[in-house]
Amino acid sequence: MADKKIRQRVESLREQINAHNYAYYVLDNPEVTDSEYDRLLRELTELEQQYPELVTPDSPTQRVGAKPLSEFAEVQHEVPMLSLGNAFSEEDMIDFDRRVREVAGQKIIDYAAEPKLDGLAISLLYQDGVLVRAATRGDGHSGEDVTLNVRTIQAIPLKLRGRGYPPVLEVRGEVVMPKSGFEKLNQQQKEKGEKTFVNPRNAASGSLRQLDPRVTATRPLSFYSYGIGLIEGFAMPDTHSKMMQQLKEWGLRINPQSRVVQGVKGCMEYYQQLAKIRNDLPDEIDGIVYKVDNIALQEKLGFVSRAPRWAIAYKFPAQEEMTRLLAIDIQVGRTGALTPVARLEPVFVGGVTVSNATLHNQDEIDRLDVRIGDTVIVRRAGDVIPQIVSVVKSRRKGKPRRYHIPDKCPVCGSAAVRYDDEAVTYCTGGLYCEAQRKEAIKHFASRRAMNIDGLGDKLVEQLVDEGLVNHVDDLYKLTVGQLMQLERMGKKSAQNLVDALQQSKNTTLARFIFALGIHNVGETTAQTLASHFLTLDNLIKATEEELVAVPDIGPVVAQNVVTFFRQPHNREVIQQLIDAGIHWPAIKARKRDELPLAGKTFVVTGTLSSMGRNEAKAALQELGAKVSSSVSKKTDYVVVGENPGSKASKAEELGIEILEEAAFLELLKKYS
Ligand code: I6G
């Protein structure tokens, strides 16, 4: 049997936990860390396990029931849960206000304003301060008993705070799923291979209508109160806003954006303010609700059909609309990525007319199972690119075929491939494809590739825009006369560029391979390929099997290399480059383990004045060294430039030989 001390401790733990919940959810001002909160909850759980007679239904440990239901029971609402009339324009708001003023006989009306949350309406019944029943709105007269699920929502108190609450209190409000929780949930669903939700409202609704409360308990649901239904034994305050403050004191969360505004002017200003921050709010909202603040005036206004005459929902432009998918086009990006774009029957959504939406990649098309001719739901929120969120399958006519991204680039005709570990399909005609032209030339000219001095990004743009260069080989056909026609290009600069181009022809095979811009072939991989295959011809002829047999070359790179050289257009450009006079010193065939630095591990740290760190790494690798990113007992040498940081001190600690820049250059000279 639990003694008095234990009972008091249990009571105190419950009070502390409830107070922390209140600070966190209602006041939005957490008082303790998560770990402190968990510690209190754990202590309470342990005491209740030890003394089961102390467990009460409203204990914070009792949120999740153990058994799934077979169905939800029906609940009759004693006070019907009505809907709200809508306003879609300023005129509608002016009309609403005029009707209110006529009944009130007043010039300016105070309105309680708050965001209209996009969730699902719920009724919570508290008897003597204890949550005894929660029900959905249903048809307004009867809904479903979702008490066990609602008990799992942490923002909903199982017991009201303080003492002054009425014996019967029915609170109404909205259950929502915050946007961040929705994104996380969908990510988890995807990872588990389960169905994703199209928007936070559907996710909230699906989660609340689970028969197993243990599932609901894992869903990030939240709640805000917006009014009351039944109330007994309590003298109502004179305004709605005071009543809401009262709910807050009893421990119920209210929307922190709620305000009282004056007249239509105040309503319009509030609307504009909220419209501006709409996308930054934690929860989805679809408009603003205005309620006559004065309760006596509310009573005087009464109801029309199924809606109060004292309240209205001023809707924001819808962020989701239905339209038809007319076609799917492929856009080729600057890096060669093929992106499917949905061409839509124009539709007004999120405040603009939308006729295109991104479909991202093949996985997204498959996930949506979207087909040409389908009726789809498009969503445009804020400045984000419009998305297709779902297909209205019931409206599909006939049996349209599934869509597949083409296996040829629509811009240049080269093969379009999707590598094993990527979602994106890429064009492999990097050197030739018009869509990738500017990026390919910028990369080719860059310092670590062909190192064409003076050919910066702006000049590349100019040369392509003026039609002087289409492919990289055209660079070597440029004349001083042609260059001088460009804006801000004098004779001297033109001559310097032609000289720099001439100089760049003398390169290394590794730099040349890197300059080609093959997908996933960086400097180090280019160096590995050059050292292994020795000549460009050998590399061009290499099969995937031969490539994967090279140390450090994986199947993805092997596939990229083979596909790149298989494109006739790429080979033509390469031939033109060789014909223009690009050359490199022959590489002597040396077995890897015969290379002078074979078996030695280097780490390069700090800034070298004579070359970049990648260049230094490539030079070492060419000599057979292994280059690692961290210093360990296995490291043989640490090359140290300016501002080396912790790697140099670690090397000293471990007694590893340190090479300053001069000594490093000496070493390269000795073995090259
Ligand atoms: O559906 C609703 C959402 C929000 C409401 C509502 C509300 O106030 C912020 N208020 C009432 C009075 C009703 N429905 C009927």
Side-chain angles (χ1 to χ4, degrees):
M1 266 296 275
D3 62 19
K4 190 165 162 221
K5 238 169 133 186
I6 303 241
R7 280 173 200 277
Q8 277 172 349
R9 180 66 187 154
V10 164
E11 203 41 53
S12 152
L13 284 167
R14 284 182 191 153
E15 273 169 22
Q16 287 180 64
I17 292 167
N18 286 337
H20 292 323
N21 269 346
Y22 179 68
Y24 184 86
Y25 290 104
V26 182
L27 304 180
D28 196 16
N29 185 19
E31 284 173 343
V32 284
T33 59
D34 286 356
S35 57
E36 172 64 6
Y37 181 89
D38 290 345
R39 197 190 59 73
L40 295 171
L41 198 61
R42 223 174 16 248
E43 188 184 341
L44 179 61
T45 310
E46 279 163 15
L47 283 175
E48 287 181 353
Q49 268 165 2
Q50 225 177 327
Y51 304 100
E53 71 274 18
L54 298 188
V55 177
T56 56
D58 58 3
S59 169
T61 59
Q62 301 300 303
R63 285 195 174 268
V64 189
K67 272 198 239 118
L69 296 171
S70 55
E71 61 175 359
F72 296 114
E74 191 183 294
V75 169
Q76 294 292 327
H77 299 299
E78 284 189 46
V79 180
M81 290 185 80
L82 303 175
S83 48
L84 289 174
N86 289 325
F88 296 100
S89 64
E90 188 166 355
E91 288 79 71
D92 291 349
M93 282 303 294
I94 290 170
D95 283 350
F96 165 73
D97 178 59
R98 186 177 32 75
R99 291 193 297 270
V100 172
R101 282 188 293 110
E102 276 167 11
V103 173
Q106 261 172 260
K107 271 217 172 105
I108 298 204
I109 306 291
D110 280 352
Y111 292 107
E114 68 175 274
K116 186 169 189 307
L117 293 164
D118 206 3
L120 68 157
I122 200 107
S123 139
L124 306 175
L125 183 62
Y126 288 90
Q127 277 176 352
D128 296 319
V130 175
L131 176 68
V132 293
R133 194 197 70 195
T136 60
R137 186 209 300 258
D139 63 4
H141 296 282
S142 66
E144 287 174 323
D145 186 331
V146 285
T147 313
L148 294 180
N149 287 343
V150 162
R151 285 176 63 93
T152 70
I153 303 174
Q154 298 282 347
I156 296 179
L158 297 180
K159 192 167 179 278
L160 296 180
R161 264 171 56 89
R163 312 217 163 271
Y165 45 73
V168 176
L169 172 69
E170 186 202 345
V171 180
R172 288 177 178 182
E174 203 86 356
V175 168
V176 293
M177 186 174 289
K179 293 177 206 168
S180 57
F182 165 73
E183 300 291 342
K184 234 186 261 163
L185 172 63
N186 262 0
Q187 191 57 39
Q188 287 165 357
Q189 294 286 102
K190 261 188 211 164
E191 279 160 18
K192 285 193 279 181
E194 284 176 23
K195 170 179 151 297
T196 55
F197 297 96
V198 296
N199 55 37
R201 177 169 35 83
N202 284 21
S205 167
S207 301
L208 201 62
R209 302 194 63 264
Q210 286 285 335
L211 288 168
D212 188 346
R214 288 168 299 189
V215 176
T216 310
T218 67
R219 302 287 173 83
L221 295 174
S222 188
F223 173 80
Y224 295 89
S225 329
Y226 62 63
I228 52 168
L230 198 62
I231 182 160
E232 284 173 10
F234 184 76
M236 286 286 285
D238 58 351
T239 64
H240 171 79
S241 47
K242 283 185 195 156
M243 186 67 221
M244 296 310 290
Q245 284 307 318
Q246 181 61 77
L247 289 185
K248 187 172 173 180
E249 271 160 40
W250 289 333
L252 291 147
R253 186 186 207 180
I254 61 172
N255 198 303
Q257 301 291 340
S258 311
R259 303 280 182 275
V260 175
V261 298
Q262 278 74 43
V264 177
K265 189 162 170 280
C267 292
M268 294 311 296
E269 280 166 8
Y270 181 82
Y271 179 90
Q272 297 302 345
Q273 272 168 27
L274 267 286
K276 251 193 232 142
I277 59 166
R278 175 185 189 185
N279 291 306
D280 304 323
L281 292 173
D283 304 292
E284 290 254 1
I285 65 173
D286 59 0
I288 306 291
V289 178
Y290 299 97
K291 292 177 181 169
V292 168
D293 198 29
N294 185 294
I295 303 270
L297 181 53
Q298 281 189 5
E299 279 163 9
K300 201 166 163 195
L301 281 153
F303 299 86
V304 264
S305 60
R306 301 184 61 223
R309 254 209 306 244
W310 42 266
I312 196 157
Y314 186 3
K315 293 300 212 50
F316 286 135
Q319 290 189 315
E320 285 182 10
E321 286 293 351
M322 210 150 59
T323 188
R324 227 166 66 87
L325 175 66
L326 302 176
I328 298 177
D329 288 347
I330 297 292
Q331 267 176 4
V332 185
R334 293 176 313 146
T335 58
L338 268 60
T339 307
V341 177
R343 304 292 179 210
L344 304 166
E345 211 160 74
V347 62
F348 192 73
V349 51
V352 297
T353 301
V354 166
S355 40
N356 303 314
T358 177
L359 279 166
H360 300 286
N361 52 46
Q362 186 70 50
D363 286 349
E364 179 72 355
I365 292 174
D366 296 345
R367 188 182 71 78
L368 291 164
D369 184 20
V370 62
R371 308 186 190 189
I372 292 163
D374 272 347
T375 299
V376 294
I377 309 278
V378 240
R379 174 179 178 79
R380 182 189 176 272
D383 295 329
V384 185
I385 305 166
Q387 316 270 333
I388 291 183
V389 290
S390 61
V391 173
V392 187
K393 292 266 173 68
S394 57
R395 296 209 178 187
R396 182 174 278 169
K397 293 206 183 76
K399 283 199 181 132
R401 277 192 294 152
R402 284 181 184 278
Y403 179 85
H404 296 285
I405 292 180
D407 56 9
K408 288 224 162 15
C409 169
V411 173
C412 74
S414 300
V417 296
R418 183 177 168 184
Y419 303 112
D420 291 344
D421 57 348
E422 291 187 39
V424 179
T425 306
Y426 284 97
C427 162
T428 55
L431 282 187
Y432 178 79
C433 183
E434 198 177 321
Q436 300 170 65
R437 195 170 274 177
K438 287 182 178 170
E439 290 316 295
I441 300 171
K442 285 177 196 170
H443 172 74
F444 184 83
S446 63
R447 205 167 54 80
R448 281 151 47 195
M450 297 303 283
N451 193 20
I452 305 172
D453 209 18
L455 184 52
D457 291 0
K458 284 238 171 66
L459 188 51
V460 170
E461 307 253 343
Q462 243 181 323
L463 289 168
V464 174
D465 292 343
E466 293 293 324
L468 290 176
V469 173
N470 287 327
H471 310 121
V472 287
D473 54 304
D474 297 333
L475 289 170
Y476 294 98
K477 297 175 194 149
L478 288 170
T479 64
V480 173
Q482 277 177 323
L483 287 168
M484 279 172 64
Q485 289 164 19
L486 296 175
E487 228 178 279
R488 285 194 298 277
M489 177 72 83
K491 184 162 181 202
K492 183 137 193 292
S493 314
Q495 185 60 54
N496 285 348
L497 182 58
V498 170
D499 291 348
L501 279 158
Q502 187 59 29
Q503 250 178 29
S504 74
K505 289 180 185 172
N506 182 6
T507 184
T508 64
L509 177 57
R511 273 179 178 271
F512 185 74
I513 296 170
F514 175 59
L516 296 176
I518 305 169
H519 197 63
N520 281 338
V521 176
E523 266 175 301
T524 311
T525 306
Q527 181 64 57
T528 307
L529 292 172
S531 307
H532 184 89
F533 289 98
L534 307 174
T535 71
L536 183 63
D537 259 1
N538 288 346
L539 177 63
I540 292 177
K541 284 193 221 124
T543 62
E544 277 187 45
E545 293 76 50
E546 286 164 347
L547 280 155
V548 288
V550 180
D552 299 333
I553 302 292
V556 173
V557 169
Q559 195 192 356
N560 290 356
V561 170
V562 167
T563 321
F564 181 88
F565 288 119
R566 204 185 283 149
Q567 306 309 310
H569 292 313
N570 287 342
R571 285 211 306 272
E572 276 162 34
V573 176
I574 292 170
Q575 190 55 52
Q576 295 281 340
L577 288 168
I578 303 296
D579 291 349
I582 288 182
H583 62 281
W584 47 84
I587 306 172
K588 278 180 251 141
R590 283 196 282 197
K591 285 210 183 109
R592 231 183 136 72
D593 54 5
E594 288 169 3
L595 290 169
L597 298 180
K600 300 286 178 216
T601 302
F602 282 70
V603 171
V604 184
T605 180
T607 313
L608 299 171
S609 61
S610 54
M611 66 181 89
R613 208 171 321 162
N614 284 327
E615 226 175 322
K617 280 187 199 169
L620 286 165
Q621 281 165 337
E622 203 172 342
L623 296 171
K626 190 168 170 235
V627 183
S628 167
S629 57
S630 58
V631 177
S632 73
K633 275 191 276 180
K634 290 189 188 145
T635 312
D636 296 295
Y637 298 95
V638 177
V639 178
V640 176
E642 288 287 311
N643 304 321
S646 66
K647 287 182 194 170
S649 33
K650 178 138 190 225
E652 263 174 44
E653 250 171 58
L654 295 173
I656 293 165
E657 186 165 343
I658 289 182
L659 295 177
E660 308 243 333
E661 184 160 358
F664 170 60
L665 292 176
E666 201 52 40
L667 179 103
L668 291 186
K669 216 162 116 198
K670 184 170 155 198
Y671 291 119
S672 294

